[in-house]
Amino acid sequence: MNFDFSDDQRLLQAEVQKMLAATSTSAEVRRCLEGEALYSQVTWRELLGMGAATAALPAEYGGAGLGYLELCLVAEEAGRHLAAVPLASGIYLAAEALSLGGSEAQKQAWLPRITAGDCIATAALGGAEGYLAGDAPRFDGTALSGSVLLPDGGAADVAVIQAGDDVVLLELSAAGVTREPLVSLDPTRPYARIRCDAAPAQALSGALAGKALAARVRNGAAVLLAFEQLGGAARSLDTAREYSLERKAFGRQVGSFQALKHKMADIYTGNELARAHAFYGAWALSTDAPELPLAAAAARVSATRAYTVAAEESIEIHGGIGFTWEMDCHLHYRRARYLGQLIGSEHAWRAQLADAVITEAA
Amino acid sequence: MDFKDTAEEAAFRAEVRAWLEANATPRQSAEETFGPDLTEDERVAAAKDWQRKKAEAGYAALTWPKEMGGRGAPPIQQVIYGQEEARFLVPARVFENSLGQCLPTVGAWASPELAAQYLPRGIRGDDIWCQLFSEPAAGSDTGNIRTRAERNGDEWVINGQKVWTSGAHFCDYGILLARSDWDQPKQKGLTMFILDLKADGVDARPIHQMSGEREFCEVFLNDVRIPDTHRLGEVNQGWTVMLSTLMHERMSIGGVLPTTLHETLVKLARNATWNGAPALDNDVVKARIADAYLSQKGVDLIISRGITALSKGQEPGPEMSILKLVAARGILDIASFAMELAGPEGMLGHEVLGDEYAFMQMMWLTAPGIRIAGGTEEIMRNTVAEYVLGLPREARTDKHVPFRELER
Ligand SMILES: Cc1cc2nc3c(=O)[nH]c(=O)nc-3n(C[C@H](O)[C@H](O)[C@H](O)COP(=O)(O)OP(=O)(O)OC[C@H]3O[C@@H](n4cnc5c(N)ncnc54)[C@H](O)[C@@H]3O)c2cc1C
């Protein structure tokens, strides 16, 4: 049995961790928080430059040609360092959709530009929940109409969009496309809405298409996001732990109070349970296993829970100072929610998980 | 990343499987239990027979050094044997403490003569061993042991009481922790011995458990004589010996924890209804099935991480310390929900409700004990907080005080 990452993969992770510690600093992430930038260009350039963000993309399109396992560990570090970059939107979703569902010509046209950093991609691939009465996107074979919410929509140049049974590619500079930046509760990961009025678009027309393509990409993204969430959850616990050793009350370290010790033990337990499921998801993704829908949903649900709890409780463990703008606690609190809802909430994924478990038990 | 055996592991697995197929009955489902209608005496006898068979085939003490009657095999082989044996209906639990903790402790601390006297018999299943640590006033706080060990020439005289001792009434020997020095602080005045449970002055009385079984005992010790040769480790070094016993538990990673209860839950939900519609179509039911999978498969996957470490010749990582916390709470939640599926009928015994409920009802009745045995959930959380996260140890007022001065 070899249910672990290899030494080489861990080495790559350590490189990425070193780079992000120097680049994706609190100050840098806060430039986005304060609305000074839509994403961290320097962090994104580095992640692309060292072949980290493109780890799973084929070398013939400018990717690093490593694999999904490497990308999982990159994601973990991105989460740990709150990297404010279009990694989920542009890579886990858009580039993956292109790579798995694009025609040769479509791949040639876009992937090399994405991997080189000349173009930012994003995606909207459906989901269970909704609130605002929308003008759902419609595709007539050549043109797209309707409105779509896009993560990183303000910075993106191209988008992969699910419209009914089709998954289409839309250049955001095309005629008939207007975009509107939106206020978001995690300003480090902003959204925009685009409206299309018969904007020229093309269906992705590779081997895997339509709803099957969207489902496969969402499952892959669930695994990758789980690693990003794990990184954030581990960082939240580390920060809380360190603070609890420094801060004193009633003449002792607050970390010596059993209520806090048990709280942190529970966070650790949630994180490690999620890690086990994320590993399984990574295995399923990297081997294209039939278990992917099951493993991805389990990774998604457990990692969403873990990061949410870790981020919430980290604020509590810090006390009043945890509630300030200056502390990074709220960056995790916001990011945990963003990642936890980006491709549908914990509840929607729990339903997918149940269906997969019931099918498997049949 | 993969779940495959190495060539060596695969060869060993094939060998074990062939042997089991020739010597045991394959299990039809995860819920089936060995000899549900046997009396305890019959179950113990069957367990002894099975242990002897395993010993003759060389599977009884795989990882022990050859000098101790083992095979000197790497820990991964023990895991593989366990995985394969789990697919067959064989007597479980009777030898768990003997092989998991007691005999390894004897092997590590006894003189060569003593080891030669007890280990081969233990491995062959001639003797069954138990662990006599807990007392009425010493459970989580094991250091508070008051059973008295007094030196008298070449012997020790033991007086006191142990409690919650699993299997003491059918066991032959036990490892016993007793207080040899009342002037030392708690943990520094303890000594470990081998106790002959058939010796004069030993009275083991089964305790009626909430599960209805009578598996653990209170053991009264009245002027029991133990030769000094049967001491394990130095006088007053009992605490160190006990910690080494607990270390052995760590390498057995997971061992007997169930990992497919979510499948049992799905089976039961298939028969249940909710407002006249199939329960399996209900979102609340589905959410609980998903959560059941997360804890059960989670336990399985964490064990897989431990096995990976063993397979590479490394020690399992700190994440192993959450296994019991995840497993015990999960079992309780899953078994409770399985009962809720049937509404008021869920309170009916499996004799009425159907055999398919027997296993879950047993799990529901044993889950509270699983949460306590081998360290309560609170103690496990302390362990994670202190040993994994490096948080401050619990405040203690009794650490440097001679035991006799401690408040009772
Ligand atoms: C099924 C079963 C089998 C067993 N088999 C054996 C056996 O074979 N041999 C043996 O020696 N023992 C055995 N035990 C005993 C077991 O190890 C103890 O019951 C256990 O360690 C708890 O000790 P206690 O019962 O004295 O509870 P206590 O220690 O009195 O605990 C009472 C409550 O206080 C809490 N508590 C105690 N200390 C702390 C602390 N520092 N921080 C927070 N909370 C705390 C506990 O978590 C618990 O909730 C068995 C128990 C069970 C249930």
Side-chain angles (χ1 to χ4, degrees), chain B residues 283-363:
Chain B
D283 288 341
V284 175
V285 174
K286 286 169 65 172
R288 296 296 292 262
I289 287 171
D291 286 338
Y293 171 88
L294 288 177
S295 73
Q296 287 282 288
K297 183 71 179 181
V299 167
D300 184 47
L301 291 170
I302 293 165
I303 290 174
S304 293
R305 293 189 63 191
I307 294 174
T308 298
L310 292 183
S311 178
K312 291 183 182 167
Q314 299 161 354
E315 270 207 22
E319 65 278 359
M320 293 299 126
S321 59
I322 71 165
L323 264 185
K324 210 192 82 143
L325 280 169
V326 175
R329 184 69 231 182
I331 292 168
L332 180 54
D333 289 345
I334 295 166
S336 310
F337 190 68
M339 290 174 66
E340 286 176 37
L341 275 176
E345 292 169 356
M347 288 312 292
L348 303 177
H350 61 88
E351 299 84 347
V352 186
L353 209 49
D355 285 346
E356 68 277 14
Y357 254 105
F359 191 66
M360 277 298 192
Q361 294 188 344
M362 183 187 70
M363 282 290 137

Side-chain angles (χ1 to χ4, degrees), chain A residues 258 262, chain B residues 97 131-136 138-141 163-166 216 369 372-376 378-379 382 394:
Chain A
Q258 197 175 64
H262 285 193
Chain B
N97 281 342
Q131 179 174 299
L132 302 115
F133 296 170
S134 301
E135 296 184 4
S140 303
D141 188 5
V163 75
W164 322 131
T165 318
S166 298
F216 60 27
I372 296 167
T376 64
E378 291 70 32
I379 294 297
N382 281 349
E394 288 295 289

Side-chain angles (χ1 to χ4, degrees), chain A:
Chain A
M1 178 155 335
N2 185 16
F3 186 45
D4 202 353
F5 292 88
S6 71
D7 291 346
D8 281 350
Q9 287 157 352
R10 291 295 186 192
L11 222 58
L12 170 77
Q13 180 178 19
E15 286 299 307
V16 175
Q17 138 105 52
K18 212 165 97 194
M19 182 281 286
L20 287 174
T23 313
S24 185
T25 56
S26 176
E28 177 63 17
V29 176
R30 280 166 183 273
R31 290 185 52 239
C32 302
L33 178 72
E34 305 289 1
E36 290 162 26
L38 288 172
Y39 69 99
S40 166
Q41 294 187 355
V42 17
T43 310
W44 190 229
R45 210 178 309 122
E46 292 282 345
L47 276 170
L48 289 171
M50 70 192 289
T54 65
L57 292 169
E60 52 191 305
Y61 306 114
L66 294 167
Y68 285 122
L69 295 179
E70 285 78 3
L71 186 58
C72 285
L73 298 181
V74 173
E76 185 176 357
E77 292 313 315
R80 193 187 317 277
H81 296 280
L82 287 164
V85 291
L87 183 62
S89 54
I91 302 294
Y92 314 160
L93 292 168
E96 279 296 304
L98 271 163
S99 172
L100 292 161
S103 67
E104 191 49 40
Q106 288 168 331
K107 289 196 248 192
Q108 286 295 356
W110 292 102
L111 286 175
R113 295 180 56 197
I114 295 172
T115 52
D118 298 338
C119 151
I120 288 188
T122 184
L125 294 173
E129 308 92 340
Y131 183 79
L132 292 171
D135 176 17
R138 302 165 305 278
F139 181 60
D140 66 5
T142 53
L144 188 71
S145 295
S147 91
V148 186
L149 179 65
L150 288 175
D152 294 299
D157 305 295
V158 61
V160 175
I161 294 166
Q162 184 175 5
D165 288 346
D166 291 305
V167 176
V168 304
L169 191 70
L170 173 76
E171 280 191 65
L172 299 180
S173 58
V177 180
T178 51
R179 72 174 115 187
E180 173 197 1
L182 303 173
V183 180
S184 160
L185 292 177
D186 180 4
T188 70
R189 306 284 50 246
Y191 277 98
R193 186 196 318 282
I194 57 156
R195 285 178 213 283
C196 304
D197 183 10
Q202 42 176 295
L204 289 186
S205 54
L208 196 58
K211 284 189 162 158
L213 171 63
R216 164 64 186 76
V217 172
R218 283 159 47 83
N219 285 334
V223 174
L224 295 160
L225 284 167
F227 277 88
E228 206 168 318
Q229 291 166 311
L230 280 182
R235 179 73 174 272
S236 295
L237 176 57
D238 278 354
T239 313
R241 177 190 163 278
E242 280 159 25
Y243 184 76
S244 81
L245 291 173
E246 283 165 21
R247 173 74 178 169
K248 293 207 169 133
F250 300 97
R252 49 197 266 213
Q253 292 163 295
V254 295
S256 71
F257 292 114
Q258 197 175 64
L260 290 203
K261 288 169 68 177
H262 285 193
K263 195 191 280 294
M264 287 187 260
D266 287 345
I267 297 171
Y268 177 79
T269 302
N271 289 359
E272 287 308 311
L273 183 64
R275 188 180 305 280
H277 285 292
F279 274 35
Y280 191 50
W283 166 79
L285 180 61
S286 66
T287 57
D288 202 14
E291 288 89 346
L292 181 61
L294 172 73
R300 172 93 185 133
V301 174
S302 54
T304 299
R305 198 89 295 274
Y307 193 15
T308 305
V309 170
E312 290 168 358
E313 296 308 319
S314 174
I315 298 178
E316 175 71 13
I317 292 168
H318 279 80
I321 200 156
F323 189 62
T324 60
W325 190 260
E326 280 147 81
M327 291 298 285
D328 284 352
C329 293
H330 71 112
L331 300 185
H332 286 285
Y333 187 70
R334 293 169 195 276
R335 185 65 65 85
R337 257 297 118 237
Y338 168 81
L339 295 176
Q341 296 179 196
L342 178 61
I343 56 166
S345 77
E346 181 186 341
H347 308 287
W349 283 89
R350 188 177 269 111
Q352 170 173 330
L353 175 56
D355 287 335
V357 172
I358 292 166
T359 309
E360 202 192 42

